[in-house]
Amino acid sequence: MQEDPGYYDYWPWQGRPRITWPGGARIAFWVAPNIEFYELNPPANPHRKAWPQPHPAIAGYSIRDYGNRVGHVRQMEVLDRYGIRGSISLSTALCDHHPEIIRMCVERDWEFFSHGIYNTRYTYGMSETQEREMILDSMATIEKHTGKKCAGFLAPALSHSDHTIDLFAEAGGVYTCDLFHDDQPTPIRVRNGQRFVSVPYSLEMNDTIAYVVNKVEPRRYGQMLKDNFDRLYQEGADSGTVMCIPTHNYQVSCPHRLKAFEEALEYITGHSDVWVTTGLEIAEYYLAHHYDAAVADIAQQQERPRQ
Amino acid sequence: MTLDREHLEYPQRHYGMDHDRYEWSLLSERTNISWPGNKPLALWVNVCLQFYPLNQKGIPFAVPGGMTMPYPDLRHFTLRDYGNRVGIYRLLRALDQCGVRASFAINSALVERIPQLLRTITSRGDEILGHGVHMDALHYGGQEEAEERELVAGCLQTLRDASGQAVTGWLSPARNESERTPELLVEHGVEYFCDWVNDDMPYPFHTSNGELWAMPLSSELEDRFVLMDNLHSEQSWLEQVSDACDYLLDEAQRSGSGRILALNLHPWLLGQPHRIGKLEEALAYIAAKDGVWSAPPREILAAFNRQHP
């Protein structure tokens, strides 16, 4: 175990090279619906229990199934209304279980990135070879069912190893959603030295963190989304920022929570100079236009203390 | 470090669900349903009448809402009892003020302890559901079959004898089940159960003893989850119920198919003097909508079934 994962160097928010977004936008805004499959009776990972109670864990399983049966279409209709293409964090076994959902998202030209095979299979305890097999399987599944290469990764149930990000980069990955250190994309150091980035995927705006962990009231969640946007939009006038809303179709799509979510989307997309986009489009634009300047500036800043 | 091979094997990775209890189905793809009077939204209010024993065993877990202090936990015992002495009468008045016909899920131990409460409910003509023996008599994975059968049979027998009703609905204590709870429910004449919350509409649930209907009773909107687990304000609960009502009415009108707003309530929570007003406001808000049909679950399911032979 190491004291620091070593993916990036300290880089102060002030004084960075200016980021610009397409069309002069101040902020890149993306929504990342997690579309997950939780198994009713998964093999028990020795380091983390999938369910709190003995099998069958109906409470946890059935509300997640609600997300797929009922919630997904609701959220999709709301995103359609505001011209938002989702960037799906996908339990890739869902391609087999619920291909109807995949087809609807392919028709809308949504992006799919890997969130592992099942959200009840954790990386904890896997050998490097096993984790590589899981990552490659998930990426191949996305390509097979959507016709597009998987470019992004969010570890299943946020279960990581020291190798997760390196393995994904080596498998041809472009960006990670697993790091929460910044409000702009940043270069990420991976062991094979390739160009690789982190795209901000906010844990603070994540509906499950808000509703389940922090137990936020729905209308307050809507206000948090607006406040988060306001500040990032304001600062984006100086240098482009990124706002992400990670969602779950069993949280934000419940009938008592959709109104607050929709009002926030209406507010955000009602502003000018908002680039409504996807995770991969942000990563590609950043790699093409800002990555090199960022790497150079970071290197220069690291040298200063040694002078 | 290596996991056993089974962690990278996925025997259930195929079309549909990873079990054979029910079919995979998108709500948006189903046949349209209409409710009596062409109302777009059915309102189902279920009230839980519960007994939490002072000598709680907590097998296999301490029931949410139960005793948490060293024995004797008088504060939780009496706070729950408050619901059956005081709170329920406030709830009944609130329901009657708005003409809402609720169902009542009752622990059979409560019927034995205070038969007059059941008589009050049945004399109103309200539907009752089996809710297990008491809140510390959980149904759970790994439970002895004979033990669970006795819980199901005993609860239903007591309720049927005391009420004269057929009692065909079921809500498990803490919504917890064993692998065979659905089989045991069918074996004892239950036609629908409310533990699974994976839908907003009824759906068929397979058991080796024949079909059962799942009648999802939302857990995310229930007073216990919102007020006790999440510590949201009473005002927020009212807003959540109102927002859900508006959303479901709108979805029913857009899709052309009826929807159900299911509210699960506990007199020991909403029956408190500082909370009852919010329930009254919530019910008044819903009842004032033109498109709402208030009915107990048996009637909702019957209306659904007439369109789903």
Side-chain angles (χ1 to χ4, degrees):
Chain A
M1 288 194 266
Q2 40 190 359
E3 183 179 272
D4 180 309
Y7 294 125
Y8 51 82
D9 295 316
Y10 180 73
W11 193 33
W13 184 239
Q14 56 184 15
R16 295 179 184 178
R18 181 163 194 249
I19 286 185
T20 55
W21 294 129
R26 296 155 67 151
I27 184 168
F29 173 66
W30 65 302
V31 176
N34 284 268
I35 306 186
E36 298 171 331
F37 199 102
Y38 284 73
E39 298 159 283
L40 183 57
N41 200 12
N45 183 290
H47 305 276
R48 178 169 162 184
K49 280 176 83 168
W51 301 115
Q53 68 266 64
H55 173 73
I58 291 165
Y61 180 90
S62 67
I63 189 64
R64 284 163 180 79
D65 186 33
Y66 179 90
N68 292 330
R69 288 168 77 89
V70 180
H72 170 71
V73 169
R74 284 186 184 154
Q75 186 183 174
M76 196 174 66
E77 285 173 356
V78 171
L79 295 184
D80 281 351
R81 273 203 281 286
Y82 298 95
I84 300 166
R85 287 154 56 222
S87 306
I88 298 167
S89 164
L90 184 68
S91 291
T92 59
L94 198 120
C95 296
D96 299 303
H97 291 289
H98 304 329
E100 298 88 347
I101 289 179
I102 303 297
R103 275 199 293 277
M104 287 187 273
C105 300
V106 168
E107 280 167 16
R108 286 166 171 75
D109 194 25
W110 286 16
E111 182 194 338
F112 296 82
F113 64 85
S114 170
H115 190 30
I117 313 281
Y118 285 109
N119 222 37
T120 36
R121 302 285 179 122
Y122 309 119
T123 305
Y124 305 127
M126 281 187 187
S127 68
E128 198 173 323
T129 307
Q130 289 180 322
E131 190 174 6
R132 182 184 293 110
E133 179 186 326
M134 179 274 286
I135 289 171
L136 288 172
D137 179 338
S138 71
M139 294 172 82
T141 304
I142 285 178
E143 190 166 359
K144 179 181 155 198
H145 289 266
T146 72
K148 288 192 181 152
K149 283 198 183 308
C150 164
F153 193 75
L154 179 72
L158 304 189
S159 67
H160 305 101
S161 75
D162 276 341
H163 312 296
T164 305
I165 291 175
D166 290 326
L167 289 169
F168 177 65
E170 286 162 16
V174 176
Y175 72 99
T176 176
C177 301
D178 280 309
L179 307 173
F180 306 102
H181 59 297
D182 219 291
D183 284 329
Q184 289 177 334
T186 61
I188 293 301
R189 190 182 294 126
V190 289
R191 67 186 179 191
N192 70 352
Q194 76 179 69
R195 294 158 70 90
F196 190 79
V197 294
S198 165
V199 174
Y201 166 94
S202 172
L203 211 58
E204 295 275 337
M205 296 299 107
N206 185 312
D207 61 348
T208 298
I209 301 300
Y211 284 130
V212 181
V213 180
N214 297 334
K215 305 191 184 309
V216 167
E217 296 172 353
R219 291 190 186 182
R220 183 173 160 227
Y221 177 61
Q223 189 60 46
M224 284 164 57
L225 295 175
K226 292 179 191 173
D227 291 346
N228 189 270
F229 171 80
D230 281 344
R231 182 51 56 110
L232 290 169
Y233 186 72
Q234 180 196 328
E235 294 183 3
D238 301 324
S239 181
T241 53
V242 176
M243 177 176 177
C244 179
I245 308 180
T247 63
H248 296 74
N249 48 30
Y250 62 95
Q251 291 294 341
V252 81
S253 306
C254 286
H256 56 298
R257 299 191 185 121
L258 266 165
K259 183 177 175 179
F261 179 60
E262 176 157 6
E263 282 177 1
L265 294 182
E266 186 173 10
Y267 178 80
I268 291 166
T269 59
H271 285 69
S272 58
D273 301 328
V274 177
W275 180 30
V276 179
T277 184
T278 65
L280 178 57
E281 287 175 359
I282 295 170
E284 284 179 332
Y285 193 87
Y286 182 82
L287 281 162
H289 298 89
H290 301 298
Y291 177 88
D292 293 327
V295 168
D297 190 63
I298 293 165
Q300 194 186 10
Q301 301 235 6
Q302 300 313 304
E303 281 161 15
R304 269 179 214 152
R306 288 182 218 131
Q307 283 170 356
Chain B
M1 205 162 48
T2 300
L3 292 178
D4 291 341
R5 185 65 213 164
E6 64 167 343
H7 292 276
L8 284 106
E9 288 169 351
Y10 315 102
Q12 300 292 332
R13 190 175 176 179
H14 53 65
Y15 183 78
M17 304 311 298
D18 60 333
H19 56 77
D20 53 12
R21 285 302 197 177
Y22 53 80
E23 312 309 319
W24 154 243
S25 153
L26 282 165
L27 174 61
S28 56
E29 302 290 306
R30 292 185 215 151
T31 315
N32 284 358
I33 291 293
S34 62
W35 301 125
N38 276 323
K39 301 283 190 184
L41 188 63
L43 171 66
W44 168 25
V45 173
N46 182 69
V47 178
C48 292
L49 297 172
Q50 304 172 322
F51 175 59
Y52 291 84
L54 185 63
N55 57 345
Q56 177 177 288
K57 312 245 176 342
I59 299 170
F61 55 82
V63 65
M67 307 301 112
T68 63
M69 306 296 289
Y71 180 89
D73 183 351
L74 293 182
R75 72 186 211 202
H76 286 109
F77 183 86
T78 55
L79 264 174
R80 301 301 167 254
D81 205 26
Y82 177 94
N84 299 326
R85 296 167 64 92
V86 181
I88 179 61
Y89 298 98
R90 293 197 179 116
L91 258 69
L92 292 176
R93 191 184 302 165
L95 293 165
D96 291 345
Q97 275 166 6
C98 294
V100 173
R101 291 188 299 144
S103 61
F104 295 80
I106 309 184
N107 290 154
S108 60
L110 197 62
V111 173
E112 286 165 342
R113 292 168 56 83
I114 39 174
Q116 59 269 51
L117 180 56
L118 181 81
R119 282 200 299 274
T120 300
I121 302 300
T122 50
S123 68
R124 298 161 48 88
D126 289 329
E127 179 184 351
I128 64 168
L129 279 70
H131 191 25
V133 172
H134 56 67
M135 297 309 288
D136 190 35
L138 297 173
H139 302 241
Y140 59 93
Q143 188 170 28
E144 288 295 326
E145 182 169 347
E147 179 184 306
E148 189 182 9
R149 179 174 284 111
E150 204 173 299
L151 290 177
V152 173
C155 167
L156 290 167
Q157 192 65 51
T158 302
L159 293 187
R160 285 167 182 157
D161 288 350
S163 70
Q165 292 188 18
V167 187
T168 56
W170 180 271
L171 176 68
S172 298
R175 300 171 186 264
N176 214 66
E177 295 181 7
S178 78
E179 302 90 326
R180 70 180 82 80
T181 305
E183 273 71 21
L184 292 173
L185 295 178
V186 173
E187 183 182 301
H188 291 89
V190 169
E191 293 170 7
Y192 72 91
F193 74 146
C194 318
D195 298 334
W196 292 64
V197 291
N198 53 331
D199 216 299
D200 276 343
M201 297 296 275
Y203 67 89
F205 196 96
H206 310 315
T207 88
S208 59
N209 289 333
E211 292 288 280
L212 187 60
W213 283 94
M215 280 286 284
L217 179 61
S218 167
S219 54
E220 299 273 317
L221 246 191
E222 84 173 49
D223 55 355
R224 201 188 56 74
F225 179 74
V226 172
L227 298 170
M228 195 180 89
D229 292 356
N230 292 341
L231 302 176
H232 293 176
S233 69
E234 289 74 15
Q235 178 63 27
S236 178
W237 181 77
L238 168 62
E239 290 163 359
Q240 292 178 48
V241 171
S242 314
D243 287 352
C245 175
D246 291 346
Y247 183 84
L248 290 168
L249 258 176
D250 181 58
E251 182 175 272
Q253 275 150 354
R254 276 186 291 119
S255 69
S257 179
R259 289 285 181 261
I260 301 172
L261 173 60
L263 297 179
N264 196 32
L265 312 179
H266 297 77
W268 49 265
L269 266 171
L270 282 177
Q272 288 282 346
H274 57 293
R275 297 200 180 104
I276 190 70
K278 296 302 176 189
L279 173 64
E280 289 165 354
E281 278 188 59
L283 294 177
Y285 182 87
I286 300 165
K289 300 276 180 186
D290 221 7
V292 175
W293 170 54
S294 161
R298 215 170 134 78
E299 283 184 37
I300 295 174
L301 186 57
F304 182 90
N305 264 328
R306 282 195 292 275
Q307 299 161 69
H308 265 261

